[in-house]
Amino acid sequence: MSILKNRDIIIVGQQPWDTAIGSNCKDLALEFSKNNRVLYVNAPLDRRTSLQQRNVELVKKRLRIIAGKEEGLEQVSPNLWVYYPKVIVESINWIKIMPVFRWLNKLNNRKFARDIHVASKRLNFENFVLFNDNDIFRSFHLKEFLKPWISVYYSRDYIIATPYWQYHGKYMEPQLIEKSDLCVANSVFLANYCKKYNPNSFYVGQGCDFKLFKHDDPISLPDDLSAIKGPRLGYVGAILSLRLDEAILLHLAKTRPDWSIILVGPEDDDFKRSELHQLDNVHFLGSKKTETLAAYIKGFDVCLNPQAINPLTIGNYPRKIDEYLAMGKPTIATNTAAMSIFEQHVYLAETKEDYVTLAEKALVEHSETLATERINFAHTHTWAKNAEEIYQAINEVSANRS
C-alpha cells in the first residue's frame, strides 16, 4: 500500500466546502486528513458575486469574514481545517485581450496567495503539497507564489469545453498542467489529455461513498415507483440535454412500449419540452432527496446512462455507474473512453439501437452471481483507494526528483 503520512496538504479548487452538492474534492480532503493535516481553501469571493449576490447567505457569510466580523478559519475535524479567504478578487473573465487578462489574473493570484500564506502560517504548515482541483485561473500562479514541496493538478472534468472556460482556459489549462509537478485524473480520457502536456500524468480512478447504496438493504420501493409496471429501465441524476441523449430515450420508449422508462432528477428546459413527456411509458419523477435514490435504483430492472457524446461529457467519470453497480443492477451506458474500465461489468452501447438489444440481453441474463460481481467491482472504487493512487503518484514523482 502506498500512503502519504504526516504531510501538510493545501487544497484549492472550484467547489466551496459549504456547497450543497457532492464534491470529489471534499471527499478526498476527508480521506487525506486521515493521515495528514489538510487546509481546504474555499475559492475567494469575486467582485461581481459580492455585489450581485450580496443578499445570499453564503455570500453574506464571506462578507462578514472579510469585514472581520467572523473567523475565517474553521476546524471541522482533528486534522482538517476550512478557510474562507479574507480577500475579494476582481471579476475579469469578460476581458478578451490576453495580456490584460493575464496581468490582472496574476494580481488576483498574488492577493489570493498572500491570504492563503497567512492562514497556513497560523497552522504552521510547512513543505506542503498543493492540490489544485481544476482551478485554472485563480490558482494559476500559486505554485510560484506559495512554493509548495510538490504541486498536483487534479483533472476531473473537461471544463474547457464549457463556455466560461473556453476563451482563456483553452490555452491556460495546458500551461498549468505543464508547470505542475504532476497531474492526476479520474478518467482515462483526462489522464491522456494531461499526458500531452506533462509526462507525470496519472489515472487515479474515482472514489464513491457506498453507505447509501447497499444491495441488501431492506428498502421499500417509493410509492411513485411501485405504481409503475415493469420491466422498469431507469436513470437517476440531472436530466440535462448537454449530458443526456434524448434520441436514445425516445428510441427505447417507442421501440418497446411494453417497457417503462423512468427518469429521476431535475430537468432542464430542453427536456421539459421533449416529446418524451407525450409517451405513456415514460415517467419523469422529478428531484428526490439523496438518501432516497437507492430506493429508486432498487426498483429498476435495468439502469441507464444514455450519455450524449460531446467535448464536455466525453472525459467524465460517471459516478452514478458505481452507484448502480453497488446495488447489483444490470447497467447499460454509452461507450466512451472513460467507460473502458467498466467494460467487464456494464453493457456498453455504441448506438441507440444497441440500447434495445442490450436491455433485452440484460433482462434475460440477470442473476445473483452477476449482481455479486458488480457489487464487488464497484467496491474497488473507494475514496481510500482513490487517495492511495494519488499518494503513489506523488511518491513516484517526488522520488524521481530527489
Side-chain angles (χ1 to χ4, degrees):
M1 178 186 288
S2 182
I3 201 162
L4 202 67
K5 268 193 170 181
N6 302 320
R7 277 283 177 187
D8 293 334
I9 302 174
I10 295 178
I11 296 175
V12 292
Q14 295 182 51
Q15 290 181 302
W17 187 263
D18 50 0
T19 182
I21 60 174
S23 163
N24 279 20
C25 205
K26 284 178 62 176
D27 287 320
L28 282 172
L30 289 164
E31 193 61 42
F32 291 162
S33 71
K34 291 177 181 177
N35 296 291
N36 305 278
R37 296 198 308 159
V38 177
L39 175 62
Y40 190 101
V41 181
N42 290 320
L45 194 61
D46 67 274
R47 184 76 59 189
R48 179 177 293 171
T49 303
S50 73
L51 296 172
Q52 293 181 348
Q53 300 181 35
R54 59 186 179 275
N55 294 320
V56 175
E57 183 49 44
L58 296 184
V59 175
K60 286 163 72 174
K61 175 176 180 171
R62 284 153 176 75
L63 290 172
R64 290 195 298 271
I65 289 168
I66 291 168
K69 297 176 181 176
E70 277 188 33
E71 173 58 61
L73 188 63
E74 298 178 0
Q75 187 167 7
V76 295
S77 68
N79 278 336
L80 177 59
W81 291 263
V82 173
Y83 183 60
Y84 294 80
K86 295 185 177 180
V87 295
I88 294 178
V89 295
E90 303 307 323
S91 306
I92 60 173
N93 199 36
W94 58 274
I95 297 171
K96 300 306 181 193
I97 303 170
M98 188 190 301
V100 176
F101 174 85
R102 298 202 71 152
W103 179 70
L104 290 171
N105 189 59
K106 192 168 188 177
L107 292 181
N108 276 344
N109 273 234
R110 182 176 283 113
K111 186 187 293 187
F112 187 29
R114 284 173 179 161
D115 200 49
I116 294 172
H117 181 74
V118 170
S120 67
K121 282 299 176 188
R122 285 179 59 186
L123 299 173
N124 295 314
F125 270 39
E126 294 181 345
N127 296 322
F128 55 85
V129 175
L130 177 63
F131 189 87
N132 178 354
D133 174 30
N134 256 155
D135 192 24
I136 301 171
F137 299 157
R138 290 175 301 235
S139 303
F140 186 85
H141 296 284
L142 293 191
K143 179 182 177 181
E144 301 98 281
F145 290 146
L146 294 176
K147 296 180 171 52
W149 168 64
I150 204 161
S151 63
V152 184
Y153 184 71
Y154 178 42
S155 176
R156 58 179 174 81
D157 272 314
Y158 191 57
I159 59 173
I160 59 174
T162 59
Y164 180 84
W165 301 98
Q166 270 188 340
Y167 194 83
H168 295 293
K170 277 190 173 176
Y171 66 87
M172 287 184 69
E173 187 178 40
Q175 292 173 9
L176 180 54
I177 291 169
E178 182 181 11
K179 70 177 177 176
S180 297
D181 294 309
L182 70 149
C183 302
V184 295
N186 72 340
S187 80
V188 175
F189 175 91
L190 291 170
N192 289 335
Y193 161 68
C194 291
K195 201 163 285 189
K196 290 192 293 185
Y197 309 106
N198 189 328
N200 292 325
S201 295
F202 303 82
Y203 166 65
V204 295
Q206 166 79 32
C208 189
D209 187 348
F210 297 110
K211 289 196 293 288
L212 295 175
F213 301 94
K214 295 180 181 176
H215 174 61
D216 54 358
D217 269 4
I219 312 170
S220 299
L221 296 191
D223 291 341
D224 57 351
L225 181 62
S226 60
I228 299 171
K229 69 172 187 174
R232 305 185 190 103
L233 282 67
Y235 167 87
V236 167
I239 304 166
L240 309 174
S241 59
L242 196 60
R243 294 190 178 272
L244 296 188
D245 190 334
E246 178 194 20
I248 292 171
L249 296 168
L250 283 168
H251 183 74
L252 269 172
K254 289 180 176 180
T255 305
R256 293 300 301 262
D258 53 321
W259 292 348
S260 295
I261 312 300
I262 299 156
L263 303 168
V264 179
E267 301 172 70
D268 67 8
D269 290 339
D270 287 333
F271 266 96
K272 286 175 182 176
R273 293 189 295 265
S274 170
E275 183 188 349
L276 289 163
H277 283 277
Q278 313 308 317
L279 302 178
D280 292 338
N281 63 329
V282 178
H283 307 268
F284 287 83
L285 301 187
S287 298
K288 304 296 177 184
K289 292 181 179 177
T290 303
E291 57 269 24
T292 69
L293 297 181
Y296 285 91
I297 294 172
K298 182 179 181 180
F300 297 159
D301 297 294
V302 176
C303 292
L304 304 172
N305 191 34
Q307 185 173 302
I309 302 294
N310 57 51
L312 178 63
T313 64
I314 197 167
N316 283 4
Y317 184 102
R319 197 195 296 199
K320 71 173 81 285
I321 299 293
D322 278 324
E323 294 166 353
Y324 292 161
L325 295 180
M327 301 289 292
K329 292 298 179 178
T331 299
I332 308 172
T334 303
N335 194 9
T336 65
M339 285 301 303
S340 61
I341 64 164
F342 294 96
E343 61 187 0
Q344 299 300 316
H345 304 279
V346 172
Y347 299 93
L348 297 179
E350 301 284 350
T351 66
K352 63 186 180 184
E353 289 79 14
D354 286 349
Y355 268 85
V356 176
T357 306
L358 292 173
E360 290 168 345
K361 189 169 188 266
L363 289 166
V364 170
E365 287 184 346
H366 182 57
S367 66
E368 277 304 308
T369 300
L370 284 175
T372 300
E373 289 176 4
R374 293 169 189 138
I375 293 163
N376 291 341
F377 177 73
H379 281 266
T380 65
H381 298 158
T382 62
W383 288 114
K385 175 65 174 173
N386 191 197
E388 184 184 324
E389 294 286 341
I390 294 170
Y391 296 153
Q392 185 172 322
I394 291 172
N395 288 334
E396 181 179 325
V397 172
S398 63
N400 290 338
R401 285 195 322 180
S402 55

